[in-house]
Amino acid sequence: MSGGGGLRCGEVDEADAGAFMALPRKVLLKKVSKLESKELQKYKIDLSCLPNFDKLLDDVYVVRRPTETEFFNRRDLIRIFNAIAKEIYGNSSECPTVVGFGSFVMDMYNTGSDLDLSINFGNPSVQFPREKKIQTLRKFAKKFYSLQRKGHVTSIQTIMSARVPIVKVIDYGTRIECDLSVENWDGILKSQLVHVISAIDDRFQKLSFLMKSWAKANGINSSKDRTLNSLSIISLVAFHLQTRQPPILPPFSVLFKDGTDPANVRKNVDSFLNYGKANEESLALLFVTLLIKLASVEKLWQKGLCASVYEGSWTSKTWDSRCGSISVEDFTERSENVSRAVGVEEVKKIYDCIHRSIIGLLFFLDGKMPAPELKELLFGSVDAPALKGTDKNEATTSNSPIVHHSDQNKKMRLSHNSEETHVKNQQGQQTTREWAPSCCINNQRAQISGWSGPENGQNWQHVAPQPVSDQHPLDSNWDGKITHLISPPVLDPAAVAEWCNQALSQPVVSPYNSLSYEAS
């Protein structure tokens, strides 16, 4: 994750420390160890009370995890955007392929998560000019505006001044917000690497999911707002697992010894599948100690402290001769700080949240705060994550989510400029169907018997598609727009990344940020 004009870094030694106003690595390591021990002693976690917090985290995880319906909706949206690309470009050799990346590919998404999409023209070895990326996005935006007028999508936004230009659009039938960028090879690669590495220990995926939910609920998971982007949070989780005693994850450097081609990394991961077996720490203990670890180093970021997932240890780095507000080294492009978006004022907001969460946890563990209050403090309203493009009134009058068959044509439904969508019942009378996010509640979850997405390393093309519900017939008007098109295959991110790296002698590195969009 690098960029033209991106931030450069340098290792800090004794001679350079004064010039960079950063402390040497050895000095920082001593301070980190002392401060973390001091914080742990200060809070004195009662391990006997942690099972109650484990149950709370498990409840949050189960409720927030996507259902089978939500998985297939996202997978089918990728297919549909490929069909839209063919409508725009025809069957010419210039027709791009639309590929998913981000939280969906990493299996760290929930009901309210965006779907990150990259429009790829098939040649990552060729530099794609920013101007051409913007032109491509404008073509898609023009098509989306046409679909919006016909009542299929909503809330189109074009953000061309961002570090990574994007177009946002919401499929009104599923309420999924889709963020389209162009040639985001780095995002595809990083997403697949995280997914592959998650196979080493399931606590990585679960803790990342929970920490992202915590950050999102507390308004500190947005590089646009100069707080933590998702890759920063996931990297900090990985770093925490690497630095436990005994460690749960290895340094990424040993996993990347044969390069960052996901196929090679997967082979190396296979030899580390029992790496963290000796560490039996629960999610509850890992969650609490991660917050305490971050709290203990609050004043050291400005001294050059940097979390290196590649090395699996703290280090000392500066970026363009400056210390970051928070520094988390990019694990594939080590000269980059994935937390560079975090602002000086915003880091105060992040730490206010960290300290408030720790205090709430201590109150809960001491029996002074009931579980529902702690759950609200850490994760907000857990029962049903907010859907994109809805308000309180609209949320009771929209269509229900649809399970889309991969061989059927997707319906993007919207009654434009209206808060009600009318459908005809069997007697031909118009009725209003209420929005009921039943896919988020336990009775629906019981029907799918604990399904929690594809297994780590599983090829999504091997997951059997589900039939379209009889209660949600396809929209014939929308069908007619794309039935003449050949449905493109659902692309396996591993295959895409493998193809990219076969075309290059070196791992694919995008000149732009990967998992977040930062205003320039």
Side-chain angles (χ1 to χ4, degrees):
M1 190 163 54
S2 62
L7 301 175
R8 295 299 160 197
C9 71
E11 288 287 338
V12 180
D13 57 25
E14 295 282 353
D16 294 327
F20 291 102
M21 297 186 69
L23 295 175
R25 183 174 183 272
K26 289 183 179 180
V27 175
L28 283 172
L29 288 178
K30 289 181 180 179
K31 286 184 174 291
V32 167
S33 178
K34 181 179 178 179
L35 289 171
E36 187 170 359
S37 297
K38 183 178 178 180
E39 289 291 295
L40 287 169
Q41 182 64 27
K42 172 184 172 182
Y43 294 122
K44 295 181 180 178
I45 303 169
D46 186 350
L47 298 180
S48 66
C49 298
L50 283 176
N52 292 330
F53 186 44
D54 262 315
K55 183 180 184 305
L56 185 152
L57 291 179
D58 184 63
D59 289 344
V60 172
Y61 183 80
V62 169
V63 171
R64 286 282 176 91
R65 286 292 288 158
T67 63
E68 192 173 13
T69 298
E70 291 157 353
F71 167 75
F72 286 111
N73 283 345
R74 282 169 169 76
R75 193 181 74 166
D76 202 46
L77 276 170
I78 296 174
R79 183 188 65 79
I80 286 303
F81 279 105
N82 276 282
I84 290 173
K86 283 194 174 184
E87 286 195 338
I88 296 171
Y89 289 88
N91 290 318
S92 70
S93 59
E94 295 182 357
C95 183
T97 300
V98 181
V99 180
F101 69 99
S103 62
F104 179 58
V105 171
M106 293 186 286
D107 193 25
M108 295 178 183
Y109 69 103
N110 59 35
T111 300
S113 295
D114 302 341
L115 176 62
D116 293 313
L117 300 168
S118 177
I119 304 167
N120 297 339
F121 287 85
N123 194 350
S125 62
V126 176
Q127 183 70 28
F128 209 83
R130 180 182 177 87
E131 294 74 17
K132 193 169 181 181
K133 291 183 178 184
I134 292 174
Q135 290 174 5
T136 300
L137 291 173
R138 283 176 174 159
K139 287 183 179 179
F140 275 81
K142 182 179 179 181
K143 180 66 176 179
F144 296 152
Y145 283 121
S146 173
L147 293 174
Q148 181 172 256
R149 287 192 296 272
K150 293 179 173 64
H152 302 303
V153 299
T154 186
S155 301
I156 301 165
Q157 300 179 57
T158 57
I159 309 174
M160 303 306 180
S161 62
R163 179 182 176 88
V164 176
I166 61 169
V167 169
K168 293 175 175 283
V169 63
I170 294 177
D171 165 32
Y172 208 89
T174 61
R175 297 295 192 181
I176 296 172
E177 179 182 295
C178 304
D179 294 351
L180 287 89
S181 55
V182 180
E183 297 282 307
N184 208 326
W185 299 105
D186 186 53
I188 296 168
L189 177 63
K190 279 187 171 64
S191 304
Q192 186 61 24
L193 289 175
V194 169
H195 181 65
V196 169
I197 294 170
S198 296
I200 294 176
D201 194 293
D202 64 359
R203 285 173 288 184
F204 179 30
Q205 185 272 337
K206 290 180 179 178
L207 188 57
S208 294
F209 181 91
L210 290 167
M211 290 304 297
K212 281 186 60 185
S213 297
W214 165 80
K216 179 69 73 175
N218 287 276
I220 58 170
N221 180 207
S222 171
S223 59
K224 180 186 69 173
D225 297 328
R226 306 199 70 186
T227 57
L228 293 166
N229 61 32
S230 293
L231 186 58
S232 297
I233 296 168
I234 292 167
S235 296
L236 286 169
V237 169
F239 179 77
H240 186 51
L241 301 184
Q242 291 170 335
T243 52
R244 300 305 291 163
Q245 294 300 328
I248 296 171
L249 290 180
F252 282 13
S253 57
V254 300
L255 303 177
F256 298 164
K257 65 180 183 178
D258 299 316
T260 55
D261 174 16
N264 292 333
V265 174
R266 182 177 282 108
K267 292 177 183 178
N268 292 329
V269 161
D270 288 343
S271 62
F272 285 91
L273 294 182
N274 294 317
Y275 185 81
K277 186 176 181 180
N279 186 310
E280 298 180 351
E281 292 177 327
S282 66
L283 279 177
L285 182 57
L286 292 170
F287 190 101
V288 175
T289 52
L290 175 53
L291 291 179
I292 292 175
K293 182 194 293 287
L294 293 175
S296 69
V297 300
E298 179 178 1
K299 303 301 182 183
L300 294 182
W301 301 114
Q302 58 191 291
K303 300 298 183 180
L305 185 69
C306 176
S308 173
V309 181
Y310 185 85
E311 295 179 356
S313 66
W314 294 109
T315 188
S316 180
K317 276 193 173 182
T318 57
W319 318 91
D320 276 347
S321 304
R322 298 177 182 177
C323 299
S325 298
I326 292 178
S327 294
V328 181
E329 184 185 78
D330 188 318
F331 55 80
T332 61
E333 185 63 27
R334 299 182 63 200
S335 63
E336 296 296 332
N337 176 15
V338 298
S339 298
R340 61 178 170 263
V342 176
V344 175
E345 292 301 318
E346 287 74 16
V347 76
K348 297 177 183 177
K349 177 181 179 181
I350 293 170
Y351 270 93
D352 284 345
C353 175
I354 290 172
H355 293 304
R356 187 170 59 251
S357 297
I358 292 174
I359 292 172
L361 280 164
L362 293 176
F363 271 66
F364 172 76
L365 295 175
D366 288 342
K368 298 176 182 178
M369 177 182 285
E373 287 188 20
L374 179 66
K375 192 180 293 186
E376 180 74 21
L377 173 68
L378 296 180
F379 301 106
S381 178
V382 174
D383 295 333
L387 297 172
K388 301 297 175 90
T390 63
D391 57 31
K392 184 175 180 181
N393 295 325
E394 191 179 34
T396 62
T397 55
S398 305
N399 287 339
S400 299
I402 308 171
V403 180
H404 298 297
H405 193 290
S406 63
D407 295 329
Q408 298 280 359
N409 287 312
K410 168 86 171 53
K411 171 188 177 183
M412 289 184 173
R413 302 180 297 174
L414 166 68
S415 181
H416 190 46
N417 293 328
S418 173
E419 292 187 348
E420 294 185 345
T421 300
H422 298 284
V423 294
K424 289 187 177 180
N425 59 22
Q426 293 179 349
Q427 286 75 34
Q429 299 172 325
Q430 264 196 340
T431 61
T432 301
R433 179 179 296 145
E434 291 188 353
W435 168 254
S438 58
C439 58
C440 304
I441 57 180
N442 291 334
N443 61 346
Q444 174 89 3
R445 189 171 294 280
Q447 295 175 14
I448 62 174
S449 186
W451 189 90
S452 60
E455 296 293 331
N456 287 324
Q458 181 181 3
N459 187 327
W460 290 350
Q461 291 173 309
H462 295 161
V463 181
Q466 301 298 301
V468 176
S469 168
D470 293 336
Q471 296 178 354
H472 307 294
L474 293 170
D475 184 328
S476 58
N477 292 333
W478 175 231
D479 286 351
K481 304 300 180 184
I482 59 174
T483 48
H484 63 285
L485 299 174
I486 299 175
S487 176
V490 177
L491 298 177
D492 176 19
V496 174
E498 181 178 2
W499 182 90
C500 294
N501 285 284
Q502 285 176 348
L504 296 173
S505 58
Q506 299 295 326
V508 178
V509 177
S510 168
Y512 296 105
N513 194 8
S514 58
L515 299 182
S516 64
Y517 309 107
E518 302 171 355
S520 57

